[in-house]
Amino acid sequence: MASNLPEVPASLKAISHYLKTAQEHDSRDPIVSYWCRLYALQLGLKINSQGAEERKFLIYVMDWLETSKKAHTDNESITHEVAAQAYLENYALKLFLYADKQDRAGNFGKNVVKAFYTAGIIYDVLQTFGELTEEVTQNRKYAKWKASYIHNCLKNGETPVAGPMKTDEDEDLDNDLGNLGPGTGERSDEPMAGPSNIQPQAPYPSMGFQSWPQPGGAPIPSGPPSGPTNFITNDPFSNVKAPTPPSEPEKPPGGFQPYTGPAVTSGDVPAPVIGASGVQLTPDQMTKAQKYCKWAGSALNYEDVKTAIENLQKALRLLQTGQDS
């Protein structure tokens, strides 16, 4: 479903990167397109300096989301947040693993920058569903830094360093470990933790995409990647102009290990919740009720009492009967 949204107002520039990514996926992945715009809307509603132009634009986005959802009622990754979260995590991870493998192999280029950049954008969008896990947060931070680092190296005619880069603390630890060999009174055959297991202690500077200009050029190709192997052998980006990274000082996160996803066991399945009327509610139903409440709050921001009441009634009915209208 292609978008016909008007130009983003200057005061809403912070959400333009997510809208740009959504536009790039309009014809190839409606799931990514939908959730990128929803996240942009959530951020836009939090911006205080809103006039008539900004409110009108956000209403356009709301209408687009409503129309898109009605057009994909059979797509659980759009209608259910649990399925959507799993889909987006997998999609971002495929992008990330492609870029990381190319980077470690020394295959630097704007396609790798674009892959890291887009992975960082989608990891941002995952905040729609709540707090990110430690592993996802690490991947998100690393993807943003790598996109900025490789781009700046290529721009300045420098050759990037493949893979993670050590921090000053890692270098100090290397020196300390080098002094613990034969002749120092320490047993050299004892296992010791290497610097790759050490996380940097200094805070990582904020590199949110709010300050990143939009990436231009041709859109990334149609169709979501089918898996890490195919995605790596078939370059997903061609003739794409790399984004201009932020001007903040670059500092690599140390001790990085790519996140491959947690193992799911039967003990990880949450128990059903018992509602006030004795109805067992699944996690999906609880999430859907929260969604209706969020929509009601958004409607009240625009004094749309009717829509707010309708969404609250849907949430109440779902919690009381377990049935979704």
Coordinates of all heavy atoms in Angstrom, one line a residue, residues 59-120:
I59 N -2.7 13.5 11.7 CA -4.0 12.9 11.4 C -3.9 12.1 10.1 O -4.5 11.1 10.0 CB -5.1 14.0 11.4 CG1 -5.3 14.5 12.8 CG2 -6.4 13.4 10.8 CD1 -6.3 15.7 12.8
Y60 N -3.1 12.7 9.1 CA -2.9 11.9 7.9 C -2.3 10.6 8.2 O -2.7 9.6 7.6 CB -2.0 12.7 6.9 CG -2.7 13.7 6.0 CD1 -2.4 15.1 6.1 CD2 -3.7 13.3 5.1 CE1 -3.1 16.0 5.2 CE2 -4.3 14.2 4.3 CZ -4.0 15.5 4.3 OH -4.6 16.4 3.5
V61 N -1.3 10.6 9.1 CA -0.6 9.3 9.4 C -1.6 8.4 10.1 O -1.6 7.2 9.8 CB 0.6 9.6 10.3 CG1 1.3 8.3 10.7 CG2 1.6 10.5 9.6
M62 N -2.4 8.9 11.0 CA -3.4 8.1 11.7 C -4.4 7.4 10.7 O -4.6 6.2 10.7 CB -4.2 8.9 12.6 CG -3.5 9.3 13.9 SD -4.6 10.2 15.0 CE -3.5 10.5 16.4
D63 N -4.8 8.2 9.7 CA -5.8 7.7 8.7 C -5.1 6.6 7.9 O -5.7 5.6 7.5 CB -6.2 8.8 7.8 CG -7.2 9.8 8.5 OD1 -7.7 9.4 9.6 OD2 -7.3 11.0 8.1
W64 N -3.8 6.9 7.5 CA -3.1 5.9 6.7 C -3.0 4.6 7.5 O -3.2 3.5 6.9 CB -1.7 6.4 6.4 CG -0.9 5.4 5.5 CD1 -0.8 5.5 4.1 CD2 -0.2 4.3 5.9 NE1 -0.1 4.4 3.6 CE2 0.3 3.7 4.7 CE3 0.1 3.7 7.1 CZ2 1.1 2.6 4.7 CZ3 0.9 2.5 7.1 CH2 1.4 2.0 5.9
L65 N -2.7 4.6 8.8 CA -2.5 3.4 9.6 C -3.8 2.7 9.7 O -3.9 1.4 9.6 CB -2.0 3.8 11.0 CG -0.6 4.3 11.1 CD1 -0.3 4.9 12.5 CD2 0.4 3.2 10.8
E66 N -4.9 3.4 9.9 CA -6.2 2.8 10.0 C -6.6 2.1 8.7 O -7.1 0.9 8.7 CB -7.3 3.8 10.3 CG -8.6 3.2 10.7 CD -8.6 2.4 11.9 OE1 -7.8 2.6 12.8 OE2 -9.5 1.5 12.0
T67 N -6.4 2.8 7.6 CA -6.7 2.2 6.2 C -5.8 0.9 6.0 O -6.3 -0.1 5.5 CB -6.4 3.2 5.1 OG1 -7.3 4.4 5.4 CG2 -6.8 2.6 3.8
S68 N -4.5 1.1 6.3 CA -3.6 -0.1 6.1 C -4.0 -1.3 6.9 O -3.9 -2.4 6.5 CB -2.2 0.4 6.4 OG -1.3 -0.7 6.2
K69 N -4.4 -1.0 8.2 CA -4.8 -2.1 9.0 C -6.0 -2.9 8.5 O -6.1 -4.1 8.6 CB -5.0 -1.6 10.4 CG -5.1 -2.8 11.5 CD -5.1 -2.2 12.9 CE -5.2 -3.4 13.9 NZ -5.2 -2.9 15.3
K70 N -7.0 -2.1 8.0 CA -8.2 -2.7 7.4 C -7.8 -3.5 6.2 O -8.5 -4.5 5.9 CB -9.2 -1.6 7.1 CG -9.8 -1.0 8.4 CD -10.8 0.1 8.0 CE -11.4 0.7 9.2 NZ -12.4 1.8 8.8
A71 N -6.8 -3.1 5.4 CA -6.5 -3.8 4.2 C -5.7 -5.0 4.5 O -5.5 -5.8 3.6 CB -5.6 -2.8 3.3
H72 N -5.2 -5.2 5.7 CA -4.4 -6.4 6.1 C -4.9 -7.1 7.3 O -4.1 -7.4 8.2 CB -2.9 -6.0 6.3 CG -2.2 -5.4 5.1 ND1 -2.2 -4.0 4.8 CD2 -1.6 -6.0 4.0 CE1 -1.6 -3.8 3.7 NE2 -1.2 -4.9 3.2
T73 N -6.2 -7.2 7.4 CA -6.8 -7.8 8.5 C -6.4 -9.3 8.7 O -6.5 -9.8 9.8 CB -8.4 -7.8 8.4 OG1 -8.8 -8.3 7.2 CG2 -8.8 -6.3 8.5
D74 N -5.9 -9.9 7.6 CA -5.5 -11.3 7.7 C -4.0 -11.5 8.0 O -3.5 -12.6 8.0 CB -5.8 -12.0 6.4 CG -5.2 -11.4 5.2 OD1 -4.8 -10.2 5.3 OD2 -5.0 -12.0 4.1
N75 N -3.3 -10.4 8.2 CA -1.9 -10.4 8.5 C -1.7 -10.2 10.0 O -1.8 -9.1 10.5 CB -1.2 -9.3 7.7 CG 0.3 -9.5 7.7 OD1 0.9 -10.0 8.7 ND2 1.0 -9.1 6.6
E76 N -1.4 -11.3 10.7 CA -1.2 -11.2 12.2 C 0.0 -10.3 12.6 O 0.0 -9.8 13.7 CB -1.0 -12.7 12.7 CG -2.2 -13.5 12.7 CD -2.1 -14.8 13.4 OE1 -0.9 -15.1 13.8 OE2 -3.0 -15.6 13.6
S77 N 1.0 -10.2 11.7 CA 2.1 -9.3 12.1 C 1.7 -7.9 12.0 O 2.6 -7.0 12.4 CB 3.3 -9.6 11.2 OG 3.8 -10.9 11.4
I78 N 0.5 -7.5 11.6 CA 0.0 -6.2 11.6 C -1.0 -6.0 12.7 O -1.1 -5.0 13.4 CB -0.5 -5.7 10.2 CG1 0.7 -5.5 9.3 CG2 -1.3 -4.4 10.3 CD1 0.3 -5.1 7.9
T79 N -1.9 -7.1 12.8 CA -3.0 -7.0 13.8 C -2.7 -7.4 15.2 O -3.4 -7.1 16.1 CB -4.2 -7.8 13.2 OG1 -3.7 -9.2 13.1 CG2 -4.7 -7.3 11.9
H80 N -1.6 -8.1 15.4 CA -1.2 -8.6 16.7 C 0.2 -8.2 17.0 O 1.2 -8.5 16.3 CB -1.4 -10.1 16.8 CG -2.8 -10.6 16.7 ND1 -3.4 -10.8 15.5 CD2 -3.7 -10.8 17.7 CE1 -4.6 -11.2 15.7 NE2 -4.8 -11.2 17.0
E81 N 0.4 -7.5 18.2 CA 1.7 -7.0 18.5 C 2.8 -8.1 18.8 O 3.9 -7.9 18.5 CB 1.6 -6.1 19.7 CG 0.9 -4.8 19.4 CD 1.1 -3.8 20.6 OE1 1.7 -4.2 21.6 OE2 0.6 -2.6 20.4
V82 N 2.3 -9.2 19.4 CA 3.3 -10.3 19.7 C 3.9 -10.8 18.4 O 5.1 -11.0 18.3 CB 2.6 -11.4 20.5 CG1 3.6 -12.6 20.7 CG2 2.1 -10.9 21.8
A83 N 3.1 -11.1 17.4 CA 3.6 -11.6 16.1 C 4.4 -10.5 15.4 O 5.4 -10.8 14.8 CB 2.4 -12.0 15.2
A84 N 4.0 -9.2 15.5 CA 4.7 -8.1 14.9 C 6.1 -8.0 15.5 O 7.1 -7.8 14.8 CB 3.9 -6.8 15.1
Q85 N 6.2 -8.1 16.8 CA 7.5 -7.9 17.5 C 8.5 -9.0 17.0 O 9.6 -8.8 16.7 CB 7.3 -8.0 19.0 CG 8.6 -7.8 19.8 CD 8.4 -7.8 21.3 OE1 7.3 -8.0 21.8 NE2 9.5 -7.5 22.0
A86 N 8.0 -10.3 17.0 CA 8.8 -11.4 16.5 C 9.3 -11.2 15.1 O 10.4 -11.4 14.7 CB 8.1 -12.7 16.6
Y87 N 8.4 -10.7 14.2 CA 8.7 -10.5 12.8 C 9.8 -9.4 12.7 O 10.8 -9.6 11.9 CB 7.5 -10.1 12.0 CG 7.7 -9.9 10.6 CD1 7.5 -10.9 9.7 CD2 8.1 -8.7 10.0 CE1 7.7 -10.8 8.3 CE2 8.4 -8.5 8.7 CZ 8.2 -9.5 7.8 OH 8.4 -9.4 6.5
L88 N 9.6 -8.3 13.3 CA 10.5 -7.2 13.2 C 11.9 -7.5 13.8 O 12.9 -7.1 13.2 CB 10.0 -5.9 13.9 CG 8.7 -5.3 13.2 CD1 8.2 -4.1 14.0 CD2 9.0 -4.9 11.7
E89 N 11.9 -8.2 14.9 CA 13.2 -8.6 15.5 C 13.9 -9.5 14.5 O 15.2 -9.4 14.3 CB 13.0 -9.4 16.8 CG 12.6 -8.5 18.0 CD 12.6 -9.3 19.3 OE1 12.8 -10.5 19.2 OE2 12.3 -8.7 20.3
N90 N 13.2 -10.4 13.8 CA 13.9 -11.3 12.9 C 14.4 -10.6 11.6 O 15.5 -10.8 11.1 CB 12.9 -12.4 12.5 CG 13.5 -13.5 11.5 OD1 14.5 -14.1 11.9 ND2 12.9 -13.7 10.4
Y91 N 13.5 -9.6 11.2 CA 13.9 -8.8 10.0 C 15.1 -8.0 10.3 O 16.1 -7.9 9.5 CB 12.7 -7.9 9.6 CG 12.9 -7.2 8.3 CD1 12.5 -7.8 7.1 CD2 13.5 -6.0 8.3 CE1 12.6 -7.1 5.9 CE2 13.6 -5.3 7.0 CZ 13.2 -5.9 5.9 OH 13.3 -5.2 4.7
A92 N 15.1 -7.3 11.4 CA 16.3 -6.5 11.8 C 17.6 -7.3 12.0 O 18.7 -6.9 11.6 CB 16.0 -5.7 13.1
L93 N 17.4 -8.5 12.5 CA 18.6 -9.4 12.8 C 19.2 -9.8 11.4 O 20.4 -9.9 11.3 CB 18.2 -10.6 13.6 CG 19.3 -11.5 14.0 CD1 20.4 -10.8 14.8 CD2 18.7 -12.7 14.8
K94 N 18.3 -10.1 10.5 CA 18.8 -10.6 9.2 C 19.6 -9.4 8.5 O 20.7 -9.7 7.9 CB 17.7 -11.0 8.3 CG 17.0 -12.3 8.6 CD 15.8 -12.6 7.8 CE 15.2 -13.9 8.2 NZ 14.0 -14.2 7.3
L95 N 19.1 -8.2 8.6 CA 19.8 -7.1 8.1 C 21.2 -6.9 8.8 O 22.2 -6.7 8.2 CB 19.0 -5.8 8.2 CG 18.0 -5.5 7.2 CD1 17.2 -4.3 7.7 CD2 18.6 -5.2 5.9
F96 N 21.1 -7.0 10.1 CA 22.3 -6.8 10.9 C 23.4 -7.9 10.6 O 24.5 -7.6 10.5 CB 21.9 -6.9 12.4 CG 23.0 -6.7 13.4 CD1 23.3 -5.4 13.8 CD2 23.8 -7.7 13.8 CE1 24.4 -5.1 14.6 CE2 24.8 -7.5 14.7 CZ 25.1 -6.2 15.1
L97 N 22.9 -9.2 10.6 CA 23.9 -10.2 10.3 C 24.5 -10.1 8.9 O 25.7 -10.4 8.7 CB 23.2 -11.6 10.5 CG 22.8 -12.0 11.9 CD1 22.1 -13.3 11.9 CD2 24.0 -12.0 12.8
Y98 N 23.7 -9.7 7.9 CA 24.3 -9.5 6.6 C 25.4 -8.4 6.7 O 26.5 -8.6 6.2 CB 23.2 -9.0 5.6 CG 23.8 -8.3 4.4 CD1 24.4 -9.0 3.4 CD2 23.8 -6.9 4.3 CE1 24.9 -8.4 2.3 CE2 24.3 -6.3 3.2 CZ 24.9 -7.0 2.2 OH 25.4 -6.4 1.1
A99 N 25.1 -7.3 7.3 CA 26.0 -6.2 7.4 C 27.3 -6.6 8.2 O 28.4 -6.2 7.8 CB 25.4 -4.9 8.0
D100 N 27.0 -7.3 9.3 CA 28.1 -7.7 10.2 C 29.1 -8.6 9.5 O 30.3 -8.5 9.6 CB 27.6 -8.3 11.4 CG 28.7 -8.6 12.5 OD1 29.4 -7.7 12.9 OD2 28.8 -9.8 12.8
K101 N 28.5 -9.6 8.7 CA 29.4 -10.5 8.0 C 30.2 -9.8 6.9 O 31.4 -10.1 6.7 CB 28.6 -11.6 7.4 CG 29.4 -12.7 6.6 CD 28.6 -13.9 6.2 CE 29.5 -14.9 5.6 NZ 28.8 -16.2 5.2
Q102 N 29.6 -8.9 6.1 CA 30.3 -8.2 5.1 C 31.4 -7.3 5.7 O 32.5 -7.2 5.2 CB 29.3 -7.3 4.3 CG 28.3 -8.1 3.5 CD 28.9 -9.0 2.5 OE1 29.8 -8.6 1.8 NE2 28.5 -10.3 2.5
D103 N 31.1 -6.7 6.9 CA 32.0 -5.8 7.5 C 33.2 -6.6 8.0 O 34.4 -6.2 7.8 CB 31.3 -5.1 8.7 CG 32.3 -4.4 9.6 OD1 33.1 -3.6 9.1 OD2 32.3 -4.7 10.9
R104 N 33.0 -7.8 8.7 CA 34.1 -8.6 9.2 C 35.0 -9.1 8.1 O 36.1 -9.4 8.3 CB 33.5 -9.7 10.1 CG 33.0 -9.2 11.4 CD 32.3 -10.3 12.1 NE 31.6 -9.8 13.3 CZ 32.1 -9.8 14.5 NH1 33.3 -10.3 14.7 NH2 31.4 -9.4 15.6
A105 N 34.3 -9.3 6.9 CA 35.1 -9.8 5.7 C 35.8 -8.7 5.0 O 36.5 -8.9 4.0 CB 34.1 -10.5 4.7
G106 N 35.7 -7.5 5.4 CA 36.3 -6.3 4.8 C 35.7 -5.8 3.6 O 36.3 -5.1 2.8
N107 N 34.4 -6.2 3.4 CA 33.6 -5.8 2.2 C 32.9 -4.5 2.5 O 31.7 -4.6 2.8 CB 32.7 -6.9 1.7 CG 33.4 -8.1 1.3 OD1 34.5 -8.1 0.8 ND2 32.8 -9.3 1.6
F108 N 33.6 -3.4 2.6 CA 32.9 -2.1 3.0 C 32.3 -1.5 1.8 O 32.8 -1.5 0.7 CB 34.0 -1.2 3.6 CG 34.8 -1.9 4.7 CD1 36.1 -2.1 4.5 CD2 34.2 -2.2 5.9 CE1 36.9 -2.7 5.5 CE2 34.9 -2.8 6.9 CZ 36.3 -3.1 6.7
G109 N 31.2 -0.8 2.0 CA 30.5 0.0 1.0 C 29.3 0.6 1.5 O 28.8 0.3 2.6
K110 N 28.6 1.3 0.6 CA 27.4 2.0 1.0 C 26.3 1.1 1.3 O 25.3 1.4 2.1 CB 27.0 3.0 0.0 CG 26.8 2.5 -1.4 CD 26.5 3.6 -2.4 CE 26.4 3.1 -3.8 NZ 26.2 4.2 -4.8
N111 N 26.3 -0.1 0.7 CA 25.2 -1.1 0.9 C 25.3 -1.6 2.4 O 24.3 -1.9 3.0 CB 25.4 -2.3 0.0 CG 25.1 -1.9 -1.5 OD1 24.4 -0.9 -1.7 ND2 25.6 -2.6 -2.4
V112 N 26.5 -1.8 2.9 CA 26.7 -2.2 4.2 C 26.3 -1.1 5.2 O 25.7 -1.4 6.2 CB 28.2 -2.6 4.5 CG1 28.4 -3.0 6.0 CG2 28.6 -3.8 3.6
V113 N 26.6 0.1 4.9 CA 26.2 1.2 5.7 C 24.7 1.3 5.8 O 24.1 1.5 6.8 CB 26.7 2.6 5.1 CG1 26.2 3.8 5.9 CG2 28.3 2.6 5.2
K114 N 24.1 1.1 4.6 CA 22.6 1.2 4.5 C 22.0 0.0 5.4 O 21.0 0.2 6.0 CB 22.2 1.1 3.1 CG 20.6 1.1 2.9 CD 20.0 2.4 3.2 CE 18.6 2.4 2.9 NZ 17.9 3.7 3.2
A115 N 22.6 -1.2 5.3 CA 22.0 -2.3 6.1 C 22.1 -2.0 7.6 O 21.2 -2.3 8.3 CB 22.8 -3.6 5.7
F116 N 23.3 -1.6 8.0 CA 23.4 -1.2 9.5 C 22.5 -0.2 9.9 O 21.8 -0.2 10.9 CB 24.9 -0.8 9.7 CG 25.8 -1.9 10.1 CD1 27.1 -2.0 9.4 CD2 25.6 -2.8 11.0 CE1 28.0 -3.0 9.7 CE2 26.5 -3.8 11.4 CZ 27.7 -3.9 10.7
Y117 N 22.3 0.9 9.0 CA 21.5 2.0 9.3 C 20.0 1.6 9.4 O 19.3 1.9 10.4 CB 21.6 3.0 8.2 CG 20.7 4.2 8.3 CD1 21.0 5.3 9.0 CD2 19.4 4.2 7.6 CE1 20.2 6.4 9.1 CE2 18.6 5.3 7.7 CZ 19.0 6.4 8.4 OH 18.1 7.5 8.5
T118 N 19.5 0.8 8.5 CA 18.1 0.3 8.5 C 17.9 -0.6 9.7 O 16.8 -0.6 10.3 CB 17.8 -0.4 7.2 OG1 18.1 0.5 6.1 CG2 16.3 -0.8 7.1
A119 N 18.8 -1.5 10.0 CA 18.7 -2.3 11.2 C 18.5 -1.5 12.4 O 17.7 -1.8 13.3 CB 19.9 -3.2 11.3
G120 N 19.3 -0.4 12.5 CA 19.2 0.5 13.7 C 17.8 1.1 13.8 O 17.2 1.3 14.8

